[in-house]
Amino acid sequence: MPKNIKVTQREPSHEHVTESVADLLAHEETLDYKNSSLNVGGAAGKKVPQIELPENDGRPAWNSKLQYILAQVGFSVGLGNVWRFPYLCQKNGGGAYLVPYFILLLLIGIPLFFMELAVGQKIRRGSIGVWNYVCPSLGGIGMSSLMVCGFVGLYYNVIIGWSIFYFFQSFQYPLPWSECPIRRNGTLAILEPECEKSSATTYFWYRQTLNITSSIAESGGLNVKMTLSLLVAWIIVCLAVIKGIASSGKVMYFSSLFPYVVLFCFLIRGLMLKGSVDGIAHMFTPKLEKMLEPQVWREAATQVFFALGLGFGGVIAFSSYNKIDNNCHFDAVLVSFINFVTSILATLVVFAVLGFKANIMNEKCIVENSEKILGYLNSNVLSHDLIPPHVNFSQITTSDYAEMYGVIKTVKEGSFAQLGLEPCLLEDELNKSVQGTGLAFIAFTEAMTHFPASPFWSVMFFFMLINLGLGSMIGTMTGITTPVLDSYKVQKELFTVCCCVVAFFCGLLFVQRSGNYYVTMFDDYSAGLPLTVVVILENVSVAWIYGTKRFMQDLEDMLGFRPCIIYFYLWKYVSPLCLIVLIAATVVEMAISPPGYNAWVEELAQERFESYPPWAMGMCFSLIIVAMLPLPVVYIARRFNLMSDGSNKLSVSYRKTMMKDISNLEEQDESRFILGAKPGEAPPSAPASRAFLTPGGTKTLDTNSLSPNICYGTSYQNAAISPTTPTTPTTPATPESDS
């Protein structure tokens, strides 16, 4: 049977049909598009024996469009917007970095985000069900996506646990990380040496919070404080997702909106601080030459990729609870734009505060070095003639110190290095790049210690981090629970609780004293490459296997309008090419960069890069292999008929045999076996009313339409079919060429 054969109405035959093929072509009533179940916007008309509309299949739905948008925003806007994007902006040319980021957002981000929203909304299943239908051979996409969600959820919730610990520590004045602790030895009181060599915030993070070991090989046992914080984090996440979108949707009203309140408050407060304008000006001063570096474009593409949550399954899971005629194109553009604006807002806040911190540190540097110079003057190492007459050491300014430093450096050129004086330039302080935990738990916390009413701002900041992390964790957990609940009949609440309990015990790996090193390992290896492979296979399966033309037609039927033709070329050519380049660049980066981590050396009170030992190297690559393993396993299993294709309860071999029999019948005499006519007799023409009207004209009904009623056959339809309603067996969609 040709793969693109259309289902048409045939005249009933009074002759005996010797084969069961007639069951596949049951007598159908005239189908008009406007009254058909395939027309999502059509008015109710004459009822025909059919499966219920997807909206009535008992699947939960969002209470409102606002709730859904907030869920998508909460998932896509996460901790990376606060501590990753500003760092990349600073590192890659300031304002110039926004140009490649915005271009790649248009070329990769929005099209692929739109694609995930559309397939989830149309097929109304989680990631496993969606990709089982679109291309059964690549059904491992959904399973790999679920695996990555599991890995990321394990360590991501640990970061929420850290934020919870800092949140509760903020309810005291002065803040516990504002000063170095005093060590008493009898009557002698000295500063803690490790703290004195670093800083109070650095010491509090590495020693009092993590109590970190000097290498990944030293476990050090469980950190009790972090273990309790992780337990609280998992209890919060479990309560938020235990009822599915019925509970998580309500949580999103707060967790998605509250961070914006805090960011605006911090921006207003930050702009009132001395030096904030210096930080913002430094941030957005474009270094245009950076735009020519390939590394900048690679990092911009990676950030776009992860900022929208592509490939995790959360986007598909959330959209699967939408009405089938929801305008997902508008949603894709809106959420992407909100994500981009949030990154800009967070960058303004971060560098306004870091500009204030840089001024504080620069003034401290000037005071310390001025005292050195004053000591050299008193000991006659330096002559008083070198000091400009207008310089007042009790109120020395930045310009005064710069002038004095320049004179001394010129006159004492030969012995200047022995004096140990520093230039104390504000630019040097602003150029100190910090990201991730270093930004949130060290640099930002240090800046807040200089705020008036610092405990209030600290509470607000870490409560914001908790909510940002919670929004992303809800999306991640939904990306795990929705595909499983769609595929297997298990109790939602019980399964959710079991997932959280198992995740907590697995997460104990990250709350050892060496746990921070494992967080770094999972962050570097469990998601990057596997997710990029997952997304390019999603793109290829829709654009090249299912067919871009067919997908565009499905979108037109679903939305009521045809998306811009540019999406056709972006999905088919531009996005796959960009993703292939990104994968190649990621592999090259992994090959040339030695695998390792930054270990905290207690004796030196500073970080030092260490290479992973062999067993840890094996663990790193195991994360990549395990995350991508479902892709070849599912492909091979379905290629050799070892497992169901996931589209219905029939096995692959059974369906192939059935299709082969039909093909043989067609070759013998199609008119005899299908129409019940004698060999050689011309078949009667199909009724003219069989054609149905679409927004684009008159078409015949194509069984390959991207519809859940067709793609899932008996697997998901049984619950929605009335026991007294006769149904017609259906076959899953087959790959269609765009040519």
Side-chain angles (χ1 to χ4, degrees), residues 106 177 273 294 390 484 529 570 642 713:
L106 297 177
W177 51 81
L273 297 171
H390 62 275
V484 175
L529 184 60
L570 290 175
L642 300 178

Side-chain angles (χ1 to χ4, degrees), residues 462-510:
F462 289 108
F463 195 37
M464 178 191 72
L465 292 188
I466 292 170
N467 281 275
L468 284 172
L470 181 60
S472 297
M473 272 303 298
I474 288 175
T476 302
M477 288 297 294
T478 305
I480 295 173
T481 58
T482 296
V484 175
L485 294 174
D486 285 343
S487 304
Y488 306 100
K489 293 187 179 298
V490 295
Q491 187 180 357
K492 181 191 303 179
E493 292 81 1
L494 179 62
F495 177 71
T496 302
V497 171
C498 289
C499 282
C500 293
V501 171
V502 171
F504 168 72
F505 283 105
C506 292
L508 295 178
L509 173 70
F510 306 101

Side-chain angles (χ1 to χ4, degrees), residues 280-296:
I280 294 175
H282 175 79
M283 177 67 255
F284 288 102
T285 301
K287 303 176 181 67
L288 298 178
E289 66 278 3
K290 285 278 189 178
M291 291 177 58
L292 301 177
E293 299 179 9
Q295 178 75 1
V296 174

Side-chain angles (χ1 to χ4, degrees), residues 515-575:
N516 187 47
Y517 304 138
Y518 290 98
V519 171
T520 302
M521 176 192 293
F522 273 65
D523 190 39
D524 290 342
Y525 291 94
S526 68
L529 184 60
L531 267 188
T532 312
V533 173
V534 163
V535 173
I536 192 173
L537 291 177
E538 289 181 357
N539 194 173
V540 169
S541 62
V542 170
W544 288 91
I545 299 177
Y546 182 80
T548 313
K549 287 184 179 178
R550 187 195 303 176
F551 186 55
M552 293 287 282
Q553 181 59 50
D554 289 332
L555 290 173
E556 182 177 352
D557 295 341
M558 182 170 67
L559 304 176
F561 65 90
R562 195 172 188 85
C564 179
I565 191 63
I566 189 66
Y567 284 108
F568 178 93
Y569 298 101
L570 290 175
W571 283 325
K572 196 168 181 66
Y573 303 110
V574 179
S575 295

